[in-house]
Amino acid sequence: MNKKFNAKQLTLLGLMTALLLLMSFTPLGYLNIEPLAITFNVIPVAVSALALGPVGGLIAGSVFGLTSFLQAIGVGGVSMLGSTLFSINPFFSILLCFVPRMLDGFLLGYIFRSVSKLNRVAACFVTGFAAAFLNTLFFMSALILLFGQTEYMQGLINGQNILLFVCAFVGVNAVFEMLSSTVITGAVGSVLLKAGFIQTPAKKAD
């Protein structure tokens, strides 16, 4: 794959960045079904990784992390969890906002690249699922690692087994996020493949 982005790829990256910013600071990025709060913000990250590989995913993941950080400090909306954690430890909060999203986007590029050698269309759906799954996995792992021993988190955990706490914390919304990311990313990726926005390695079957 080319190390430099072509005009179409740069245009797509700009579009995904703008879409991510729009979704993050408007209700478009969230579907509130009480008591669920389902986010679609991982989808532009996944699409960027499809079209521009690990670097594109990393850039989009960084933008996602930036929006999370801004909401943690009350810019463009307020994240109650983010603002609480920021008041406890600003540095750890910054790491929590950025690292899981950047790592997610970066790895998605490699996941798509690997699976597309077998089937390009299937790779789009697999990448969509991985986007939501890895984002949840990395975020919750970082949350426990960085803030697990704080009084705030100990109050939330309330003596539960860590695994049970994580399952209860992410709730059913994580399942819906994975489902929506899989379907939407897969559909968008299939269109982008036909339009020539995505360059993939030679595949064994399609």
mmCIF file of all heavy atoms in Angstrom, residues 27-73:
data_model
loop_
_atom_site.group_PDB
_atom_site.id
_atom_site.type_symbol
_atom_site.label_atom_id
_atom_site.label_comp_id
_atom_site.label_asym_id
_atom_site.label_seq_id
_atom_site.Cartn_x
_atom_site.Cartn_y
_atom_site.Cartn_z
ATOM 1 N N PRO A 27 -26.177 15.490 18.911
ATOM 2 C CA PRO A 27 -26.835 14.205 19.199
ATOM 3 C C PRO A 27 -26.646 13.152 18.117
ATOM 4 O O PRO A 27 -26.990 11.989 18.321
ATOM 5 C CB PRO A 27 -28.323 14.602 19.313
ATOM 6 C CG PRO A 27 -28.304 16.045 19.689
ATOM 7 C CD PRO A 27 -27.131 16.615 18.954
ATOM 8 N N LEU A 28 -26.071 13.529 16.952
ATOM 9 C CA LEU A 28 -25.886 12.562 15.878
ATOM 10 C C LEU A 28 -24.946 11.422 16.276
ATOM 11 O O LEU A 28 -25.041 10.322 15.737
ATOM 12 C CB LEU A 28 -25.329 13.258 14.630
ATOM 13 C CG LEU A 28 -26.247 14.252 13.921
ATOM 14 C CD1 LEU A 28 -25.514 14.937 12.779
ATOM 15 C CD2 LEU A 28 -27.493 13.543 13.410
ATOM 16 N N GLY A 29 -24.050 11.692 17.195
ATOM 17 C CA GLY A 29 -23.088 10.675 17.591
ATOM 18 C C GLY A 29 -23.571 9.730 18.657
ATOM 19 O O GLY A 29 -22.888 8.757 18.991
ATOM 20 N N TYR A 30 -24.768 10.009 19.176
ATOM 21 C CA TYR A 30 -25.263 9.192 20.278
ATOM 22 C C TYR A 30 -26.735 8.871 20.076
ATOM 23 O O TYR A 30 -27.505 9.694 19.586
ATOM 24 C CB TYR A 30 -25.081 9.924 21.615
ATOM 25 C CG TYR A 30 -23.650 10.293 21.906
ATOM 26 C CD1 TYR A 30 -23.133 11.528 21.487
ATOM 27 C CD2 TYR A 30 -22.801 9.418 22.578
ATOM 28 C CE1 TYR A 30 -21.812 11.870 21.734
ATOM 29 C CE2 TYR A 30 -21.476 9.752 22.836
ATOM 30 C CZ TYR A 30 -20.997 10.978 22.410
ATOM 31 O OH TYR A 30 -19.694 11.307 22.646
ATOM 32 N N LEU A 31 -27.111 7.681 20.462
ATOM 33 C CA LEU A 31 -28.508 7.264 20.449
ATOM 34 C C LEU A 31 -28.888 6.951 21.885
ATOM 35 O O LEU A 31 -28.449 5.957 22.459
ATOM 36 C CB LEU A 31 -28.711 6.030 19.562
ATOM 37 C CG LEU A 31 -30.122 5.460 19.509
ATOM 38 C CD1 LEU A 31 -31.097 6.495 18.960
ATOM 39 C CD2 LEU A 31 -30.158 4.192 18.670
ATOM 40 N N ASN A 32 -29.672 7.837 22.465
ATOM 41 C CA ASN A 32 -30.051 7.681 23.864
ATOM 42 C C ASN A 32 -31.352 6.910 23.982
ATOM 43 O O ASN A 32 -32.417 7.403 23.634
ATOM 44 C CB ASN A 32 -30.197 9.050 24.533
ATOM 45 C CG ASN A 32 -28.887 9.787 24.627
ATOM 46 O OD1 ASN A 32 -27.895 9.236 25.082
ATOM 47 N ND2 ASN A 32 -28.858 11.035 24.174
ATOM 48 N N ILE A 33 -31.238 5.677 24.420
ATOM 49 C CA ILE A 33 -32.399 4.825 24.685
ATOM 50 C C ILE A 33 -32.284 4.423 26.148
ATOM 51 O O ILE A 33 -31.543 3.521 26.499
ATOM 52 C CB ILE A 33 -32.414 3.578 23.790
ATOM 53 C CG1 ILE A 33 -32.343 3.979 22.314
ATOM 54 C CG2 ILE A 33 -33.652 2.740 24.055
ATOM 55 C CD1 ILE A 33 -32.283 2.804 21.367
ATOM 56 N N GLU A 34 -33.013 5.136 26.995
ATOM 57 C CA GLU A 34 -32.855 4.944 28.442
ATOM 58 C C GLU A 34 -32.937 3.468 28.820
ATOM 59 O O GLU A 34 -33.859 2.778 28.393
ATOM 60 C CB GLU A 34 -33.919 5.746 29.190
ATOM 61 C CG GLU A 34 -33.803 7.255 28.978
ATOM 62 C CD GLU A 34 -32.510 7.819 29.504
ATOM 63 O OE1 GLU A 34 -31.891 7.164 30.385
ATOM 64 O OE2 GLU A 34 -32.104 8.889 29.055
ATOM 65 N N PRO A 35 -31.975 2.989 29.618
ATOM 66 C CA PRO A 35 -30.843 3.719 30.191
ATOM 67 C C PRO A 35 -29.577 3.635 29.334
ATOM 68 O O PRO A 35 -28.495 3.825 29.832
ATOM 69 C CB PRO A 35 -30.637 2.981 31.512
ATOM 70 C CG PRO A 35 -30.955 1.563 31.161
ATOM 71 C CD PRO A 35 -32.060 1.605 30.134
ATOM 72 N N LEU A 36 -29.734 3.346 28.040
ATOM 73 C CA LEU A 36 -28.574 3.141 27.174
ATOM 74 C C LEU A 36 -28.093 4.456 26.568
ATOM 75 O O LEU A 36 -28.863 5.400 26.379
ATOM 76 C CB LEU A 36 -28.925 2.174 26.039
ATOM 77 C CG LEU A 36 -29.512 0.819 26.440
ATOM 78 C CD1 LEU A 36 -29.834 0.015 25.197
ATOM 79 C CD2 LEU A 36 -28.564 0.069 27.340
ATOM 80 N N ALA A 37 -26.814 4.523 26.251
ATOM 81 C CA ALA A 37 -26.231 5.637 25.513
ATOM 82 C C ALA A 37 -25.271 5.009 24.506
ATOM 83 O O ALA A 37 -24.145 4.668 24.842
ATOM 84 C CB ALA A 37 -25.509 6.600 26.434
ATOM 85 N N ILE A 38 -25.761 4.832 23.287
ATOM 86 C CA ILE A 38 -24.987 4.142 22.262
ATOM 87 C C ILE A 38 -24.244 5.169 21.416
ATOM 88 O O ILE A 38 -24.834 6.124 20.923
ATOM 89 C CB ILE A 38 -25.922 3.301 21.368
ATOM 90 C CG1 ILE A 38 -26.713 2.319 22.229
ATOM 91 C CG2 ILE A 38 -25.144 2.572 20.300
ATOM 92 C CD1 ILE A 38 -27.831 1.629 21.477
ATOM 93 N N THR A 39 -22.926 4.996 21.264
ATOM 94 C CA THR A 39 -22.142 5.931 20.466
ATOM 95 C C THR A 39 -21.785 5.327 19.112
ATOM 96 O O THR A 39 -21.510 4.135 19.006
ATOM 97 C CB THR A 39 -20.851 6.339 21.198
ATOM 98 O OG1 THR A 39 -20.101 7.214 20.350
ATOM 99 C CG2 THR A 39 -19.995 5.129 21.549
ATOM 100 N N PHE A 40 -21.823 6.183 18.099
ATOM 101 C CA PHE A 40 -21.447 5.782 16.750
ATOM 102 C C PHE A 40 -20.090 6.371 16.352
ATOM 103 O O PHE A 40 -19.688 6.290 15.202
ATOM 104 C CB PHE A 40 -22.503 6.251 15.747
ATOM 105 C CG PHE A 40 -23.882 5.726 16.020
ATOM 106 C CD1 PHE A 40 -24.880 6.569 16.487
ATOM 107 C CD2 PHE A 40 -24.185 4.390 15.837
ATOM 108 C CE1 PHE A 40 -26.160 6.086 16.744
ATOM 109 C CE2 PHE A 40 -25.448 3.888 16.086
ATOM 110 C CZ PHE A 40 -26.447 4.747 16.550
ATOM 111 N N ASN A 41 -19.392 6.977 17.303
ATOM 112 C CA ASN A 41 -18.159 7.695 16.983
ATOM 113 C C ASN A 41 -17.019 6.800 16.528
ATOM 114 O O ASN A 41 -16.048 7.289 15.933
ATOM 115 C CB ASN A 41 -17.705 8.521 18.190
ATOM 116 C CG ASN A 41 -18.653 9.666 18.490
ATOM 117 O OD1 ASN A 41 -19.416 10.087 17.632
ATOM 118 N ND2 ASN A 41 -18.614 10.175 19.704
ATOM 119 N N VAL A 42 -17.110 5.507 16.815
ATOM 120 C CA VAL A 42 -16.049 4.608 16.352
ATOM 121 C C VAL A 42 -16.143 4.346 14.849
ATOM 122 O O VAL A 42 -15.168 3.896 14.235
ATOM 123 C CB VAL A 42 -16.089 3.259 17.106
ATOM 124 C CG1 VAL A 42 -15.773 3.444 18.582
ATOM 125 C CG2 VAL A 42 -17.433 2.564 16.922
ATOM 126 N N ILE A 43 -17.290 4.628 14.255
ATOM 127 C CA ILE A 43 -17.485 4.308 12.837
ATOM 128 C C ILE A 43 -16.585 5.141 11.917
ATOM 129 O O ILE A 43 -15.933 4.581 11.023
ATOM 130 C CB ILE A 43 -18.970 4.434 12.456
ATOM 131 C CG1 ILE A 43 -19.789 3.409 13.245
ATOM 132 C CG2 ILE A 43 -19.170 4.237 10.948
ATOM 133 C CD1 ILE A 43 -21.289 3.527 13.066
ATOM 134 N N PRO A 44 -16.508 6.481 12.084
ATOM 135 C CA PRO A 44 -15.555 7.232 11.240
ATOM 136 C C PRO A 44 -14.116 6.788 11.428
ATOM 137 O O PRO A 44 -13.321 6.844 10.486
ATOM 138 C CB PRO A 44 -15.758 8.684 11.701
ATOM 139 C CG PRO A 44 -17.134 8.725 12.277
ATOM 140 C CD PRO A 44 -17.330 7.380 12.918
ATOM 141 N N VAL A 45 -13.768 6.352 12.633
ATOM 142 C CA VAL A 45 -12.419 5.846 12.879
ATOM 143 C C VAL A 45 -12.192 4.574 12.061
ATOM 144 O O VAL A 45 -11.150 4.396 11.422
ATOM 145 C CB VAL A 45 -12.197 5.560 14.377
ATOM 146 C CG1 VAL A 45 -10.804 4.973 14.613
ATOM 147 C CG2 VAL A 45 -12.382 6.833 15.198
ATOM 148 N N ALA A 46 -13.185 3.687 12.073
ATOM 149 C CA ALA A 46 -13.075 2.440 11.324
ATOM 150 C C ALA A 46 -12.989 2.693 9.826
ATOM 151 O O ALA A 46 -12.174 2.075 9.128
ATOM 152 C CB ALA A 46 -14.273 1.537 11.634
ATOM 153 N N VAL A 47 -13.806 3.600 9.322
ATOM 154 C CA VAL A 47 -13.796 3.905 7.885
ATOM 155 C C VAL A 47 -12.447 4.506 7.477
ATOM 156 O O VAL A 47 -11.909 4.193 6.405
ATOM 157 C CB VAL A 47 -14.951 4.858 7.531
ATOM 158 C CG1 VAL A 47 -14.846 5.326 6.072
ATOM 159 C CG2 VAL A 47 -16.299 4.167 7.756
ATOM 160 N N SER A 48 -11.897 5.358 8.318
ATOM 161 C CA SER A 48 -10.578 5.933 8.037
ATOM 162 C C SER A 48 -9.513 4.850 7.976
ATOM 163 O O SER A 48 -8.618 4.892 7.130
ATOM 164 C CB SER A 48 -10.212 6.965 9.109
ATOM 165 O OG SER A 48 -11.125 8.046 9.122
ATOM 166 N N ALA A 49 -9.612 3.873 8.872
ATOM 167 C CA ALA A 49 -8.653 2.770 8.871
ATOM 168 C C ALA A 49 -8.805 1.913 7.623
ATOM 169 O O ALA A 49 -7.814 1.408 7.088
ATOM 170 C CB ALA A 49 -8.842 1.916 10.126
ATOM 171 N N LEU A 50 -10.042 1.743 7.136
ATOM 172 C CA LEU A 50 -10.270 0.982 5.909
ATOM 173 C C LEU A 50 -9.553 1.641 4.727
ATOM 174 O O LEU A 50 -8.883 0.976 3.943
ATOM 175 C CB LEU A 50 -11.768 0.903 5.595
ATOM 176 C CG LEU A 50 -12.706 0.163 6.544
ATOM 177 C CD1 LEU A 50 -14.124 0.225 6.011
ATOM 178 C CD2 LEU A 50 -12.271 -1.262 6.743
ATOM 179 N N ALA A 51 -9.750 2.940 4.613
ATOM 180 C CA ALA A 51 -9.290 3.643 3.421
ATOM 181 C C ALA A 51 -7.835 4.067 3.483
ATOM 182 O O ALA A 51 -7.172 4.149 2.444
ATOM 183 C CB ALA A 51 -10.167 4.874 3.187
ATOM 184 N N LEU A 52 -7.322 4.325 4.688
ATOM 185 C CA LEU A 52 -5.980 4.888 4.798
ATOM 186 C C LEU A 52 -5.045 4.055 5.658
ATOM 187 O O LEU A 52 -3.938 4.488 5.957
ATOM 188 C CB LEU A 52 -6.050 6.312 5.360
ATOM 189 C CG LEU A 52 -6.773 7.333 4.467
ATOM 190 C CD1 LEU A 52 -8.213 7.510 4.911
ATOM 191 C CD2 LEU A 52 -6.070 8.673 4.501
ATOM 192 N N GLY A 53 -5.484 2.883 6.065
ATOM 193 C CA GLY A 53 -4.615 1.991 6.816
ATOM 194 C C GLY A 53 -4.371 2.442 8.249
ATOM 195 O O GLY A 53 -5.089 3.290 8.777
ATOM 196 N N PRO A 54 -3.347 1.899 8.885
ATOM 197 C CA PRO A 54 -3.061 2.200 10.294
ATOM 198 C C PRO A 54 -2.872 3.691 10.576
ATOM 199 O O PRO A 54 -3.325 4.188 11.611
ATOM 200 C CB PRO A 54 -1.777 1.419 10.567
ATOM 201 C CG PRO A 54 -1.799 0.299 9.573
ATOM 202 C CD PRO A 54 -2.427 0.874 8.345
ATOM 203 N N VAL A 55 -2.220 4.410 9.659
ATOM 204 C CA VAL A 55 -1.983 5.833 9.879
ATOM 205 C C VAL A 55 -3.299 6.610 9.864
ATOM 206 O O VAL A 55 -3.546 7.477 10.711
ATOM 207 C CB VAL A 55 -1.011 6.399 8.836
ATOM 208 C CG1 VAL A 55 -0.866 7.914 8.998
ATOM 209 C CG2 VAL A 55 0.348 5.740 8.959
ATOM 210 N N GLY A 56 -4.163 6.282 8.910
ATOM 211 C CA GLY A 56 -5.463 6.935 8.852
ATOM 212 C C GLY A 56 -6.291 6.642 10.087
ATOM 213 O O GLY A 56 -6.952 7.531 10.638
ATOM 214 N N GLY A 57 -6.266 5.381 10.531
ATOM 215 C CA GLY A 57 -6.982 5.021 11.747
ATOM 216 C C GLY A 57 -6.430 5.740 12.960
ATOM 217 O O GLY A 57 -7.183 6.180 13.837
ATOM 218 N N LEU A 58 -5.103 5.893 13.021
ATOM 219 C CA LEU A 58 -4.453 6.591 14.128
ATOM 220 C C LEU A 58 -4.863 8.063 14.164
ATOM 221 O O LEU A 58 -5.149 8.615 15.235
ATOM 222 C CB LEU A 58 -2.936 6.474 13.992
ATOM 223 C CG LEU A 58 -2.092 7.182 15.054
ATOM 224 C CD1 LEU A 58 -2.336 6.578 16.425
ATOM 225 C CD2 LEU A 58 -0.618 7.107 14.690
ATOM 226 N N ILE A 59 -4.901 8.694 13.000
ATOM 227 C CA ILE A 59 -5.301 10.106 12.932
ATOM 228 C C ILE A 59 -6.745 10.283 13.396
ATOM 229 O O ILE A 59 -7.051 11.153 14.222
ATOM 230 C CB ILE A 59 -5.126 10.648 11.508
ATOM 231 C CG1 ILE A 59 -3.646 10.675 11.124
ATOM 232 C CG2 ILE A 59 -5.731 12.049 11.377
ATOM 233 C CD1 ILE A 59 -3.387 11.017 9.672
ATOM 234 N N ALA A 60 -7.640 9.459 12.869
ATOM 235 C CA ALA A 60 -9.041 9.564 13.255
ATOM 236 C C ALA A 60 -9.230 9.224 14.732
ATOM 237 O O ALA A 60 -10.028 9.855 15.429
ATOM 238 C CB ALA A 60 -9.896 8.638 12.390
ATOM 239 N N GLY A 61 -8.491 8.230 15.218
ATOM 240 C CA GLY A 61 -8.562 7.888 16.633
ATOM 241 C C GLY A 61 -8.093 9.035 17.511
ATOM 242 O O GLY A 61 -8.641 9.258 18.599
ATOM 243 N N SER A 62 -7.094 9.778 17.039
ATOM 244 C CA SER A 62 -6.607 10.940 17.780
ATOM 245 C C SER A 62 -7.683 12.020 17.866
ATOM 246 O O SER A 62 -7.845 12.671 18.904
ATOM 247 C CB SER A 62 -5.350 11.510 17.110
ATOM 248 O OG SER A 62 -4.315 10.550 17.079
ATOM 249 N N VAL A 63 -8.411 12.211 16.765
ATOM 250 C CA VAL A 63 -9.501 13.192 16.763
ATOM 251 C C VAL A 63 -10.595 12.757 17.735
ATOM 252 O O VAL A 63 -11.147 13.580 18.483
ATOM 253 C CB VAL A 63 -10.073 13.371 15.346
ATOM 254 C CG1 VAL A 63 -11.276 14.310 15.364
ATOM 255 C CG2 VAL A 63 -9.005 13.908 14.405
ATOM 256 N N PHE A 64 -10.919 11.468 17.727
ATOM 257 C CA PHE A 64 -11.901 10.928 18.659
ATOM 258 C C PHE A 64 -11.446 11.187 20.097
ATOM 259 O O PHE A 64 -12.219 11.622 20.954
ATOM 260 C CB PHE A 64 -12.084 9.436 18.402
ATOM 261 C CG PHE A 64 -13.173 8.783 19.205
ATOM 262 C CD1 PHE A 64 -14.073 9.513 19.971
ATOM 263 C CD2 PHE A 64 -13.311 7.400 19.191
ATOM 264 C CE1 PHE A 64 -15.083 8.889 20.703
ATOM 265 C CE2 PHE A 64 -14.304 6.769 19.919
ATOM 266 C CZ PHE A 64 -15.189 7.512 20.678
ATOM 267 N N GLY A 65 -10.166 10.930 20.361
ATOM 268 C CA GLY A 65 -9.629 11.173 21.692
ATOM 269 C C GLY A 65 -9.698 12.640 22.079
ATOM 270 O O GLY A 65 -10.011 12.978 23.230
ATOM 271 N N LEU A 66 -9.435 13.523 21.104
ATOM 272 C CA LEU A 66 -9.494 14.957 21.364
ATOM 273 C C LEU A 66 -10.903 15.383 21.759
ATOM 274 O O LEU A 66 -11.086 16.175 22.696
ATOM 275 C CB LEU A 66 -9.037 15.726 20.127
ATOM 276 C CG LEU A 66 -9.127 17.253 20.215
ATOM 277 C CD1 LEU A 66 -8.244 17.786 21.335
ATOM 278 C CD2 LEU A 66 -8.744 17.892 18.876
ATOM 279 N N THR A 67 -11.907 14.867 21.052
ATOM 280 C CA THR A 67 -13.281 15.235 21.395
ATOM 281 C C THR A 67 -13.653 14.733 22.796
ATOM 282 O O THR A 67 -14.363 15.418 23.537
ATOM 283 C CB THR A 67 -14.275 14.668 20.364
ATOM 284 O OG1 THR A 67 -14.231 13.233 20.373
ATOM 285 C CG2 THR A 67 -13.966 15.167 18.967
ATOM 286 N N SER A 68 -13.167 13.559 23.158
ATOM 287 C CA SER A 68 -13.434 13.031 24.500
ATOM 288 C C SER A 68 -12.782 13.913 25.562
ATOM 289 O O SER A 68 -13.375 14.194 26.608
ATOM 290 C CB SER A 68 -12.911 11.598 24.627
ATOM 291 O OG SER A 68 -13.567 10.729 23.731
ATOM 292 N N PHE A 69 -11.546 14.355 25.281
ATOM 293 C CA PHE A 69 -10.846 15.230 26.213
ATOM 294 C C PHE A 69 -11.566 16.565 26.361
ATOM 295 O O PHE A 69 -11.726 17.077 27.485
ATOM 296 C CB PHE A 69 -9.415 15.452 25.737
ATOM 297 C CG PHE A 69 -8.697 16.544 26.469
ATOM 298 C CD1 PHE A 69 -8.327 16.376 27.800
ATOM 299 C CD2 PHE A 69 -8.394 17.743 25.838
ATOM 300 C CE1 PHE A 69 -7.667 17.385 28.490
ATOM 301 C CE2 PHE A 69 -7.731 18.747 26.516
ATOM 302 C CZ PHE A 69 -7.372 18.574 27.846
ATOM 303 N N LEU A 70 -12.002 17.138 25.240
ATOM 304 C CA LEU A 70 -12.702 18.419 25.295
ATOM 305 C C LEU A 70 -13.986 18.316 26.108
ATOM 306 O O LEU A 70 -14.318 19.219 26.891
ATOM 307 C CB LEU A 70 -12.998 18.913 23.876
ATOM 308 C CG LEU A 70 -11.781 19.326 23.048
ATOM 309 C CD1 LEU A 70 -12.197 19.696 21.626
ATOM 310 C CD2 LEU A 70 -11.044 20.490 23.701
ATOM 311 N N GLN A 71 -14.703 17.217 25.957
ATOM 312 C CA GLN A 71 -15.927 17.032 26.732
ATOM 313 C C GLN A 71 -15.616 16.821 28.207
ATOM 314 O O GLN A 71 -16.404 17.201 29.077
ATOM 315 C CB GLN A 71 -16.722 15.857 26.171
ATOM 316 C CG GLN A 71 -17.332 16.159 24.813
ATOM 317 C CD GLN A 71 -18.050 14.961 24.207
ATOM 318 O OE1 GLN A 71 -17.826 13.828 24.607
ATOM 319 N NE2 GLN A 71 -18.907 15.227 23.244
ATOM 320 N N ALA A 72 -14.460 16.236 28.497
ATOM 321 C CA ALA A 72 -14.062 16.032 29.890
ATOM 322 C C ALA A 72 -13.797 17.356 30.592
ATOM 323 O O ALA A 72 -13.967 17.459 31.817
ATOM 324 C CB ALA A 72 -12.826 15.146 29.968
ATOM 325 N N ILE A 73 -13.387 18.374 29.819
ATOM 326 C CA ILE A 73 -13.136 19.688 30.427
ATOM 327 C C ILE A 73 -14.274 20.669 30.131
ATOM 328 O O ILE A 73 -14.138 21.867 30.346
ATOM 329 C CB ILE A 73 -11.795 20.271 29.935
ATOM 330 C CG1 ILE A 73 -11.784 20.460 28.422
ATOM 331 C CG2 ILE A 73 -10.642 19.381 30.378
ATOM 332 C CD1 ILE A 73 -10.511 21.131 27.894
#
